[in-house]
Amino acid sequence: METLELLIRNTSEVLTVEGSPQQPAEQALTPQPNACVGVRRGKVWYVGSEGALPPGAVGPSTRVLDAHGQFVGPGFVDPHTHAVFAGERAAEFDLRCQGATYLQIAQAGGGIVNTVRATRFASEEDLIRLALPRLQLMLEYGVTTAEVKSGYGLSLQDELKMLRVVQRLSALQPVELVPTLMCAHAVPEEYREWREPYLDLCIQEIIPAVAEQGLARFCDVFVEQGAFTPSEARRVLGAAQKRGLRPRLHVDQLTSGGGAELAAELGAATADHLEHVSDAGIQALAQAGVTAVLVPTSTLFLRVRPYAPGRKLRDAGVNVALGTNLNPGSGMSENLPLALGLACLENGLTAAEAYWAATRGAALALGLNTYGRITVGDPANLVIFSCSNYRHLPYHLGINHARIVIKDGHVVIEQEKALCA
């Protein structure tokens, strides 16, 4: 028989995460104590006790990785990032630390438009050079798949440029990227007094061009004061759906605007942020099967309250996912482990619920049905952590415990770390 290419042995447990969002998270993580994982041709070939491996499964060419009594889980999936951009906004961060709000900075001419200026000026090669270190850091944290949005171009040529960069980056480094069009992120400066013509540009030119070139899977809209209204979002996302792009929404972040209800009405894949979601909105998400994507690092970064009600969302039966929202204005951090800790401390999730949200919950949010779990026949996206239990990840706040990261069966990160309890 064909031998394994890779075997992970001597684990405390393997979290296969093969359950469903409706189960208690501790059960949904489906742990297998002391199991080993075998990989062949980039896929998971075996999960179970080492003693039950078929004869001949391990041969001279098999690479054996010793977990040293630590745990193994699926690679993290980050379902919400803006990882492609130019420029930085440290001065705005300083203003917030002095008391200015996100909306005040945006109304004064800062915010998203600052990044748009820098991103428009940058070439594709510039954007690739800037994004590669961010993606490398995400990979080192154990992220093997990430969604990336456009939205800092806000013109036909620059939105296409950003999405081409995402496509190229996916081939240049190991993190698999899922592209999202977000031309309705903000109204660009040159259209500030002409909202309707800009909406026409999104609907009549940008969305068709992106769809024809196959550059995105989703279309996202920022519904908020100073951004776009629910009626404008309906128009943009209706046009996107006709072109095969599934809707997503940034909603209820800074104010309560019925955004969750809108996401449910449109059958969106996700409703993201949700710091100010209403009880009616939570019920609507649950009934419509829309995933709630929480980004607590952003809530911290913006110095705003409240955090999104993760406990209420889970209790209502909503699938919850967890992302970094990596971006230069409201979440300048690639640190998904920090988001895990904040989800427990501030969003009200348990450690198991947070782990689910960063793996299987996030994969389901992106429609990646064979990701975020360890199932025979699925892609071998795996992490060996330097601790014996997943509960240690949010507890040891913001620390990277990913010791070995495997993407499609290949070891892509191998870091020497002191082993924790």
Side-chain angles (χ1 to χ4, degrees):
M1 66 167 292
E2 190 176 0
T3 59
L4 295 173
E5 294 162 7
L6 189 68
L7 177 70
I8 303 171
R9 62 176 303 276
N10 193 23
T11 73
S12 60
E13 62 181 1
V14 175
L15 297 184
T16 60
V17 200
E18 294 176 285
S20 73
Q22 287 72 43
Q23 289 179 284
E26 290 78 5
Q27 295 177 26
L29 297 187
T30 53
Q32 293 200 26
N34 310 121
C36 68
V37 181
V39 175
R40 195 166 68 186
R41 298 184 182 179
K43 307 286 188 182
V44 177
W45 186 81
Y46 178 84
V47 184
S49 69
E50 189 171 349
L53 274 169
V58 180
S61 62
T62 302
R63 182 176 182 185
V64 178
L65 298 175
D66 191 332
H68 298 290
Q70 313 307 305
F71 89 94
V72 173
F76 289 134
V77 177
D78 191 333
H80 185 131
T81 86
H82 304 255
V84 172
F85 61 86
E88 54 96 67
R89 283 151 58 186
E92 293 180 11
F93 177 84
D94 193 37
L95 287 173
R96 277 201 305 280
C97 293
Q98 296 174 48
T101 68
Y102 183 89
L103 286 174
Q104 286 170 339
I105 291 169
Q107 289 164 357
I112 291 168
V113 296
N114 265 343
T115 303
V116 171
R117 295 184 199 111
T119 303
R120 285 179 172 181
F121 184 77
S123 68
E124 287 191 25
E125 299 305 324
D126 292 332
L127 293 174
I128 288 169
R129 174 180 54 80
L130 292 165
L132 281 171
R134 300 171 196 141
L135 295 171
Q136 176 65 22
L137 188 52
M138 292 170 69
L139 185 68
E140 291 171 6
Y141 281 124
V143 175
T144 53
T145 306
E147 182 258 15
V148 182
K149 304 177 193 296
S150 64
Y152 293 129
L154 307 187
S155 70
L156 175 60
Q157 65 180 24
D158 291 300
E159 287 293 294
L160 292 174
K161 175 179 72 175
M162 288 192 71
L163 290 169
R164 283 195 301 268
V165 166
V166 175
Q167 187 178 65
R168 291 176 63 187
L169 283 166
S170 210
L172 286 172
Q173 49 76 54
V175 180
E176 186 173 342
L177 303 182
V178 177
T180 295
L181 169 65
M182 199 174 181
C183 54
H185 196 190
V187 177
E189 290 179 293
E190 66 270 24
Y191 282 95
R192 188 160 291 169
E193 304 302 323
W194 297 279
R195 293 179 68 87
E196 282 300 314
Y198 183 65
L199 287 166
D200 289 342
L201 177 68
C202 289
I203 293 166
Q204 297 171 15
E205 297 187 42
I206 297 177
I207 289 171
V210 168
E212 287 166 10
Q213 295 179 40
L215 290 174
R217 296 189 201 174
F218 298 95
C219 183
D220 202 338
V221 177
F222 185 19
V223 177
E224 187 55 78
Q225 290 181 12
F228 294 90
T229 67
S231 63
E232 290 169 340
R234 284 188 188 94
R235 291 168 57 194
V236 171
L237 293 175
Q241 283 180 296
K242 289 178 182 176
R243 295 282 183 165
L245 303 179
R246 192 164 181 201
R248 299 186 63 180
L249 284 156
H250 283 52
V251 287
D252 297 329
Q253 179 186 3
L254 304 172
T255 58
S256 181
E261 293 90 331
L262 176 64
E265 171 197 327
L266 297 175
T270 71
D272 302 40
H273 287 285
L274 299 172
E275 286 86 344
H276 293 273
V277 64
S278 67
D279 288 344
I282 292 173
Q283 291 303 317
L285 294 178
Q287 291 168 12
V290 178
T291 293
V293 178
L294 310 186
V295 286
T297 311
S298 250
T299 316
L300 175 72
F301 198 86
L302 288 175
R303 305 182 74 203
V304 296
R305 297 294 185 275
Y307 281 78
R311 178 77 274 127
K312 282 187 175 182
L313 288 157
R314 278 285 314 194
D315 289 347
V318 177
N319 179 46
V320 172
L322 185 62
T324 59
N325 192 24
L326 168 61
N327 77 84
S330 63
M332 191 58 194
S333 175
E334 297 89 346
N335 193 334
L336 191 58
L338 175 60
L340 281 168
L342 290 172
C344 296
L345 293 168
E346 300 289 357
N347 296 117
L349 301 185
T350 67
E353 289 166 345
Y355 191 87
W356 165 274
T359 53
R360 187 68 177 151
L364 293 174
L366 299 178
L368 301 173
N369 294 328
T370 60
Y371 287 56
R373 67 183 185 186
I374 303 175
T375 300
V376 171
D378 286 351
N381 302 326
L382 312 166
V383 180
I384 303 175
F385 291 93
S386 63
C387 46
S388 61
N389 193 283
Y390 68 88
R391 294 179 180 89
H392 195 89
L393 301 182
Y395 157 71
H396 200 168
L397 189 63
I399 299 300
N400 180 11
H401 288 293
R403 185 162 65 86
I404 296 177
V405 182
I406 297 161
K407 176 61 179 169
D408 292 329
H410 301 287
V411 174
V412 290
I413 294 292
E414 197 163 3
Q415 303 180 105
E416 291 298 324
K417 292 178 182 290
L419 303 181
C420 304

